[in-house]
Amino acid sequence: MDPYGSGPPAFNLQQATPQLPSNAGPLPGALTPGGSRQVPSSSGYSHSHSRSLNQTPAQTQMSSNPKAYNISHTQTPANPGPSHSPLNLTDIRSRAVSDANEGGAGTGTLFSYSESPTNSNYLAPFPTYAYDWCKWPVMGGGSAGKMAIGSYLEDPHNFIQILDTQIVPQDMTTPGQAPYGLEYTKVAEATCAYPVTRILWEPPSSQKTSTDLLATSGDHLRLWSLPQPITPHSSNINRSAIANSRDPAPQKLQPLALLSNSKTPEHTAPLTSLDWNTLSPKLIITSSIDTTCTIWDIPTLTAKTQLIAHDKEVFDVRFCAGSVDVFVSCGADGSVRMFDLRSLEHSTIIYEPSEKSDKSASPSGSSPTKAQAQTLTPSPPLLRLAASPHDAHLLATFASDSNIIRILDVRQPGTALLELRGHQGSLNTIEWNPSRRGMLASGADDSLVLVWDLLNANNQAVIPPLNGSSAAAVPGEVAGKGPLASWRCEYEVGNVSWSPQSGLTSQGGDWLGVSAGRGVWGVKL
């Protein structure tokens, strides 16, 4: 099937205007003292093994999908059924995608808001999953940067949209409310055969002032180019008075390249994630369910290196800060591993969780023997990984169906440095703040976005109750660091992305983009 054969789909876009209901409670994010840090007891260990390189193994059998569900229900069922995802990637996406697939656009009841009107929302004509807010600084003008979003439709006809943001003044009706908000304009779109598992803009560099290049992972690694706008945007910052019909028609996002790690592209193993090297943007690394990671050279459109990284599917991969050679990965075997392209014969197991349930257990004190491992419950898959852009030794990860974020120090393999506890639902996404050291954001099935400050032990916020009652602590859990601030969405959070430096952030405070349900939110912290 040619994903580019058909023209741009005809979307009936609606501009969503956030409303503040009368029963809205106080805004979350109040800073109050929280729990103390406690480091789980676990001994570190290093693992060395030899792998055959530059060889793609046969596709492994799919692991069980702990986050699978029956798409016939509009709500997440208590007993999930099998997934019908074309890529079998229910492990790494939010349950909210199922709900959004069943909901009807334009009913007027798809979104209801219970937060400040400054939390600007864009309503997409499809359930959103992949999401990235372009990190290039926006100098001057009324824009806060471009966003890229991808659909998650369980059929071979998916969409990518590029949104431009406009900074608009807000009526100061609420104490502490931000004086500015966001409005969105769709400037480009494309179709693709399968859902996008990750979408990333080219990282900022000193060689130019902006970018028009994106990369997506899914059935293949694809490179896209954003065409130049036909007409400049209006200089009028107050776009709310302009009818949607007057916006210029979105252009076609141009496909530049399709990169496959197989000689038969129609039978290639799906890619679960990608990462762009910030030090050398010509390098992209991808992870696949066939247990491999592949480093691509963008100027030549060739695979530089491919290696078997894990014993099972690889769910995520990241370059370490300040390096073009060192990267980390995590996957279905429940481990985080570190590799150095200069010495691929060996890898280091940075972390391997306990064989017990990740929601109530801390890492075991020692690694079980092979005989013991055969009788123990397998470690839960590690779904996502985030490498700190400021500290090359710091990582964050979480396991399938877990509400605990673990901070890892690669200098202390085998043990978690810190546990971040605050979510009541299964985690879906984590991302470090590129402009503030030691700060990261997370999103989960509890519809919460939490912000964590690892450098300030005093700033820990109380989690806003879901139904007006405080959530009780799970007996036996090890106390960990609490969040700095929180924001509650109406739907399970699929992905988060920090905003670039712009006129929006120059007013003070950080902004965070949130993908959930059929929407994208801009949230001021």
Side-chain angles (χ1 to χ4, degrees), residues 367-385:
S367 177
T369 64
K370 186 174 182 179
Q372 290 173 327
Q374 294 176 349
T375 62
L376 297 175
T377 303
S379 299
L382 295 180
L383 299 188
R384 284 305 190 202
L385 186 67

Side-chain angles (χ1 to χ4, degrees), residues 249-327:
Q251 296 178 270
K252 185 77 171 179
L253 192 62
Q254 299 297 324
L256 293 182
L258 183 152
L259 304 180
S260 173
N261 55 8
S262 171
K263 294 182 179 179
T264 54
E266 65 273 12
H267 296 109
T268 186
L271 302 178
T272 53
S273 189
L274 71 93
D275 193 32
W276 217 313
N277 192 289
T278 57
L279 203 62
S280 178
K282 69 177 184 178
L283 297 178
I284 289 180
I285 189 168
T286 56
S287 56
S288 172
I289 65 170
D290 69 1
T291 75
T292 66
C293 290
T294 307
I295 294 89
W296 303 89
D297 182 72
I298 300 308
T300 61
L301 300 179
T302 58
K304 289 187 62 176
T305 306
Q306 184 177 85
L307 69 153
I308 302 173
H310 287 257
D311 300 325
K312 297 181 180 180
E313 298 97 317
V314 189
F315 286 145
D316 209 358
V317 65
R318 293 289 187 276
F319 283 107
C320 291
S323 175
V324 296
D325 299 304
V326 181
F327 67 92

Side-chain angles (χ1 to χ4, degrees), residues 46-49 309 337-339 343-349:
S46 180
H47 176 72
S48 177
H49 63 277
R337 305 191 182 196
M338 172 176 277
F339 300 86
S343 178
L344 286 174
E345 294 78 14
H346 303 283
S347 70
T348 301
I349 293 185

Side-chain angles (χ1 to χ4, degrees), residues 385-403:
L385 186 67
S388 168
H390 304 283
D391 300 279
H393 58 279
L394 285 185
L395 309 173
T397 188
F398 60 84
S400 169
D401 288 328
S402 172
N403 57 1

